[in-house]
Amino acid sequence: MTLFAQHGYGKSTKIERGIQQGLLSGVILSPKDESEPNLRSYVQSLRSDFPHIEVMLDPQFYHVPIPNANVRNLPSYANLYPGPLPLSSFRGRQIQTYVNDVLNYQDQLGTSYLVSPSIIVNSFSDREAQVVLNLAQEAIDLHKQNNYNQSDLLISLTIHETAFTNTAQMDSFLNEISILDAKGFYLIIVRNTSDYNQLFDNNTALVNILTFIYSLSEINEFRVIMGYSDFLGLLYLSVGAYSIATGWHNSLRKFTMKRILPSTGGRQPRPRYSSAPLLNSILLSELDSAFQQTSVMAQIMSGTTYDNNINSAPNPLSAVWDKDTGQMEHWAAINSAITNIISGKPTVTDKLDSLEQAIIRAQGLYSILHSRYVPLETNSNSDHLTIWNTAIADFRALTNV
């Protein structure tokens, strides 16, 4: 039950500081966002300076079948990126070559795990799902043959959230992957919307994702690492995920097709404060309003060292809250939530009980903010908590935990 950094563009020294402050226990590297020599050097420095953390690579093979994908640095990784290919290329000996190249590169890089290549699955009944199963089995076969410095194998799955709306198809896919001979899974959920919030569009999909994680981790005893998870990852940890990952940009906190497709630009995100008690991130201007209008301010603070910047701050708070501070505080807030809500709870039942209590407290704080006329935008309000509550209740009824 730990937090990993989801690496991306513009890392500077964030990851090192996050590790030093005890906020991060692992890193998921993005080759797309580093040149090959830089990434190789970075892995060496991480392994040398922080031998206790887990370092893994997202092969990002899901770019390969996407026409006109924004691949950035990927072409500099000959073993990871064979160039754009149609689905017809993923069969027979060709698959063996792709998988062997991806695993060999990670083995030489010296990561904590070897992660199999995968492509995006939009529906469990589509051809892509069978391709992913073939890639997974090929990775297992090669891992057994070559031993790869005895690194554990994770099967990579990149699945669109709409795939989880079909329970029968999900169950069938789950049955197939539950018998795979690997250490675990690196799972990315491709979300419908890129808006930064903790909402989920479809309750059935969220319940099925929780069931998917629970079945793999608790029932079948696989290690499940969830990429691009953010505060929503608290639900994933509650049902058995080993770790969740999130990053400093909004695009590293929620995976959408915008991560793959050519960039169309966009405005700079407004500064935010991540509140562990609210189980959400709110705009700094909204925190400013809370600071001025209500005595609940102390209750919505995350209790991290970064709060010192605010407690001694003049108005507006933006005077002491730059982008870097907000990005680091985000990790600190999520780590605080994991520690206070999830860690130390021995069973899924205990974890869910604790999370449900945290949701009740958060809803109470939102009610106080509302009663004091603190204005909150849609992405900052409490709508996500209603969705979380419903999904947890439905999941518990389904699994009897």
Side-chain angles (χ1 to χ4, degrees), residues 1 214 217-219 234-241 338 341-356 392 395-396 399-401:
M1 294 171 294
Y214 174 74
S217 59
E218 294 293 316
I219 304 301
L234 294 171
L235 277 75
Y236 304 155
L237 291 173
S238 295
V239 298
I338 293 171
I341 300 170
I342 310 296
S343 297
K345 309 300 186 298
T347 68
V348 169
T349 298
D350 295 326
K351 295 183 182 78
L352 289 173
D353 286 345
S354 181
L355 181 56
E356 286 183 314
I392 291 171
F395 168 79
R396 299 190 84 161
T399 57
N400 295 314
V401 296

Side-chain angles (χ1 to χ4, degrees), residues 195-211:
D195 292 345
Y196 178 61
N197 54 49
Q198 311 303 325
L199 293 166
F200 219 93
D201 297 344
N202 185 289
N203 183 65
T204 299
L206 181 53
V207 172
N208 281 340
I209 290 169
L210 298 181
T211 304

Side-chain angles (χ1 to χ4, degrees), residues 31 282 298 375:
I282 64 175

Side-chain angles (χ1 to χ4, degrees), residues 211-248:
T211 304
F212 194 84
I213 297 168
Y214 174 74
S215 178
L216 290 176
S217 59
E218 294 293 316
I219 304 301
N220 292 286
E221 299 182 340
F222 287 109
R223 180 168 293 184
V224 179
I225 298 174
M226 300 295 299
Y228 302 88
S229 297
D230 218 51
F231 274 107
L232 188 63
L234 294 171
L235 277 75
Y236 304 155
L237 291 173
S238 295
V239 298
Y242 172 76
S243 186
I244 60 172
T246 194
W248 44 92

Side-chain angles (χ1 to χ4, degrees), residues 267-281:
R267 66 178 186 181
Q268 285 290 317
R270 290 176 289 174
R272 306 186 76 90
Y273 175 83
S274 296
S275 169
L278 291 178
L279 303 175
N280 204 0
S281 180

Side-chain angles (χ1 to χ4, degrees), residues 242-260:
Y242 172 76
S243 186
I244 60 172
T246 194
W248 44 92
H249 298 312
N250 291 350
S251 63
L252 297 176
R253 300 173 181 178
K254 183 179 186 179
F255 191 100
T256 71
M257 290 302 295
K258 287 184 69 174
R259 286 277 311 159
I260 299 177

Side-chain angles (χ1 to χ4, degrees), residues 102-401:
V102 169
L103 295 186
N104 271 328
Y105 179 76
Q106 294 173 80
D107 187 50
Q108 295 166 13
L109 197 61
T111 50
S112 306
Y113 301 97
L114 301 183
V115 182
S116 72
S118 72
I119 62 175
I120 293 175
V121 174
N122 292 299
S123 167
F124 292 118
S125 63
D126 284 351
R127 185 179 176 187
E128 287 87 348
Q130 187 57 55
V131 170
V132 167
L133 291 173
N134 292 343
L135 289 167
Q137 189 56 59
E138 191 62 54
I140 292 166
D141 293 343
L142 288 170
H143 187 259
K144 287 180 179 178
Q145 293 170 21
N146 296 312
N147 207 23
Y148 295 112
N149 292 321
Q150 300 182 344
S151 296
D152 289 323
L153 176 67
L154 298 180
I155 301 302
S156 178
L157 300 173
T158 309
I159 307 174
H160 201 285
E161 65 176 282
T162 55
F164 289 95
T165 59
N166 191 312
T167 304
Q169 289 179 4
M170 183 203 74
D171 287 341
S172 178
F173 185 81
L174 188 56
N175 287 337
E176 293 198 64
I177 64 172
S178 294
I179 60 174
L180 295 178
D181 187 10
K183 178 68 174 181
F185 294 87
Y186 170 51
L187 175 59
I188 297 173
I189 306 298
V190 183
R191 302 298 308 283
N192 281 327
T193 173
S194 59
D195 292 345
Y196 178 61
N197 54 49
Q198 311 303 325
L199 293 166
F200 219 93
D201 297 344
N202 185 289
N203 183 65
T204 299
L206 181 53
V207 172
N208 281 340
I209 290 169
L210 298 181
T211 304
F212 194 84
I213 297 168
Y214 174 74
S215 178
L216 290 176
S217 59
E218 294 293 316
I219 304 301
N220 292 286
E221 299 182 340
F222 287 109
R223 180 168 293 184
V224 179
I225 298 174
M226 300 295 299
Y228 302 88
S229 297
D230 218 51
F231 274 107
L232 188 63
L234 294 171
L235 277 75
Y236 304 155
L237 291 173
S238 295
V239 298
Y242 172 76
S243 186
I244 60 172
T246 194
W248 44 92
H249 298 312
N250 291 350
S251 63
L252 297 176
R253 300 173 181 178
K254 183 179 186 179
F255 191 100
T256 71
M257 290 302 295
K258 287 184 69 174
R259 286 277 311 159
I260 299 177
L261 299 176
S263 174
T264 57
R267 66 178 186 181
Q268 285 290 317
R270 290 176 289 174
R272 306 186 76 90
Y273 175 83
S274 296
S275 169
L278 291 178
L279 303 175
N280 204 0
S281 180
I282 64 175
L283 292 171
L284 198 64
S285 58
E286 295 167 337
L287 187 67
D288 238 337
S289 297
F291 186 84
Q292 298 174 50
Q293 298 180 34
T294 176
S295 59
V296 77
M297 180 74 171
Q299 298 180 62
I300 66 174
M301 303 289 278
S302 294
T304 73
T305 57
Y306 292 94
D307 288 352
N308 295 332
N309 295 51
I310 289 174
N311 292 332
S312 59
N315 268 168
L317 299 178
S318 56
V320 295
W321 201 258
D322 58 20
K323 182 167 64 174
D324 181 79
T325 302
Q327 291 167 344
M328 295 300 297
E329 189 272 340
H330 185 70
W331 274 335
I334 293 182
N335 188 69
S336 174
I338 293 171
T339 299
N340 294 324
I341 300 170
I342 310 296
S343 297
K345 309 300 186 298
T347 68
V348 169
T349 298
D350 295 326
K351 295 183 182 78
L352 289 173
D353 286 345
S354 181
L355 181 56
E356 286 183 314
Q357 288 300 311
I359 291 172
I360 291 171
R361 290 192 295 270
Q363 289 173 321
L365 292 172
Y366 270 111
S367 295
I368 295 173
L369 291 173
H370 180 72
S371 69
R372 303 297 176 87
Y373 303 103
V374 175
L376 297 173
E377 294 190 358
T378 301
N379 290 341
S380 302
N381 67 25
S382 63
D383 289 351
H384 65 295
L385 298 175
T386 302
I387 295 169
W388 290 17
N389 252 340
T390 302
I392 291 171
D394 290 349
F395 168 79
R396 299 190 84 161
L398 190 66
T399 57
N400 295 314
V401 296

